[in-house]
Amino acid sequence: MTVRRVQGSEVEYGIAVQGQPHANPMVASTHVVNSYAAAHGLTRRARWDFEEENPLRDARGFDLSREVADPSQLTDEDMGLANIILTNGARLYVDHAHPEYSSPEVTNPLDVVLWEKAGENVMRLGAELAAKIPGTAPIVLYKNNVDNKGASYGAHENYLMRRDVPFDQIVEHLTPFFVSRQVFTGAGRVGQKQDGSVHAFQISQRADYFEVGVGLETTLKRPIINTRDEPHADPKKYRRLHVIIGDANCSETAIYLKHGTTSIVLAMIEAGFLTRSLALSAPVTALHDISYDPTLTQKVELEDGRTVTALELQGEYLRLAKEFVAREGSDEQTDDVLRRWESVLDRLARDPMECVRELDWVAKLALLERYRERDGLDWDHAKLHLVDVQYHDIRLHKGLYHQLIRTNRMDRLLTDDQIAATVTDPPRDTRAYFRGMCLAKFSKDIAAASWDSVIFDLPGQDSLQRIPTMEPLRGTAEHVGRLFETSNTASELFAAITGR
Amino acid sequence: MSEQQHKSTRKASEPEAQADTTEVDAERKEKLDDDVDSILDEIDDVLEENAEEFVRSFVQKGGQ
């Protein structure tokens, strides 16, 4: 058993124009993306290729008609908004009214942390560069999910899975896991209910915005299990599990555990190892109830009549994972994830504050409680809401998460140098290598690209030439590294690949 | 690659020494309290100035 699996993440950033609360967020987001593109020689701005995108394809086997779809679900219609591909294989674009960074495909959870963190650097620089446009006010970006007035924006995960796994198995075994994993993936929020009308802390930023168990939507009536079925790969072999229930994490440990533990549960589902149901009687209610209780003692009811805490549910998945590993064997990163998962659950059970150096919601709650104690503040006080939002400010000198890192009050998994390298370099072990290297070496000859293709506009050729990349584990450094070393032009590269 | 990246990671939490006496606990708490004061002082320095105005104007459009 292994946490190794093709995966990635997408983060929509909150955006504010300083001193201009009514500024158009689409315009500001476009400035961020275009400023980054212009400063990095991505001036031709290879366009995103939408040919293989099917946002209305449902994993349960039907298509939602365009007529009944909410306009916000039509993500494949090129709105003319900024949309570029980076040399590290990521996509940087404007989604609805937020700048978004989609990491390149990687093969393991620690690499997700690396390339997701690279995205924070990209966004930080994009915002700094945008501020230099004459006549623009400073733009500030937040890696969070809520404005506490009713709006929420996503931080999604993607996992490549075998197509032949029955979707109802995924729903059955993943739902209780997703409802309870917030005890370590939560980013913490001041305010309960979508509009923040209840003045209290809760563990998860996103929990209140989930209203149904299973569904296709991502912008309204959000489901715990999203059925969007766009594999961006050979659809006969793969599905892409599109996970929309996560919080945007600043903590490296939280991102790592989120992807690591989810990868483990998916491996058990694929192997048919999970046979006993842990189905909840009311998953959506349980999701909210767990989020509202930072003491982690809230009980939720299972369909079989038992009542359990989120920690007990997680403990059950951990126990099964250890059993599965004992049978199947594992590898170094899988063992590391299991160790950290167990350690975090043990310490959360003793006293959540023991995880103050590792988890976002605990670190944030610790700050909030200290302010409450020192200044005698109630949960409706603006200062506490400010601490909540500013925790996620991605500027190094303003963000409170960064303040905790700088003063060595939170643990890290990575170094700044490692992250800086992944801002420019693609992962070497997926097709993102091919995509990123094409952009790095031949960006002026690339007309468009997407997860599953790169389209060349070659000198002397009338028509565009499309190279499909339907296999996520092909196009790696091992496969095509030499071609990039030996090809001096895009035409040479294209000829070497296609024999034309 | 990932194995190398792990070099910089801390070992998953070592169990705290079990020999804590009440006296040590009190001392530790005092130390923690000092640390708490200094955290808040540091954060006071970077917090946006007008909390009410900031929170009121932090309005986002919904996304995915």
Side-chain angles (χ1 to χ4, degrees), chain A residues 12 15 95 98 114 147 149 151-152 154 218 222 228 332 336 343 371 374 390 398 409 411 413 418, chain B residues 2-3 5-6 8 10 13 35-36 38-39 42-44 46-48 54-55 58 60-61 63-64:
Chain A
E12 295 173 25
I15 185 163
D95 192 7
H98 302 273
L114 256 179
D147 68 357
K149 296 174 184 70
S152 182
T218 55
R222 294 185 185 86
R228 184 187 289 184
E332 197 180 332
D336 184 59
S343 164
Y371 267 110
R374 191 191 71 177
Q390 202 171 329
K398 290 297 265 187
R409 291 189 173 98
D411 293 341
L413 304 179
Q418 286 174 316
Chain B
S2 45
E3 279 67 29
Q5 284 152 7
H6 269 291
S8 60
R10 272 166 41 110
S13 76
D35 186 48
V36 166
S38 69
I39 294 181
E42 288 161 24
I43 288 180
D44 281 338
V46 298
L47 271 187
E48 302 286 350
F54 176 92
V55 170
F58 187 76
Q60 299 290 307
K61 292 255 194 269
Q64 295 219 45

Side-chain angles (χ1 to χ4, degrees), chain A residues 109-184:
Chain A
L110 193 63
D111 281 355
V112 173
V113 187
L114 256 179
W115 271 276
E116 182 172 318
K117 281 283 160 185
E120 294 177 31
N121 286 19
V122 167
M123 287 289 182
R124 190 178 302 121
L125 185 53
E128 283 168 14
L129 291 165
K132 293 181 181 160
I133 300 171
T136 55
I139 294 171
V140 186
L141 300 178
Y142 299 87
K143 194 185 186 194
N144 70 351
N145 304 104
V146 294
D147 68 357
N148 205 43
K149 296 174 184 70
S152 182
Y153 33 100
H156 299 173
E157 303 140 64
N158 297 293
Y159 302 89
L160 199 70
M161 293 192 72
R162 287 206 332 250
R163 169 62 64 181
D164 60 5
V165 180
F167 201 72
D168 60 354
Q169 286 294 300
I170 297 174
V171 173
E172 172 157 358
H173 296 297
L174 218 42
T175 302
F177 175 74
F178 279 170
V179 166
S180 54
R181 73 174 187 171
Q182 56 179 311
V183 296
F184 51 86

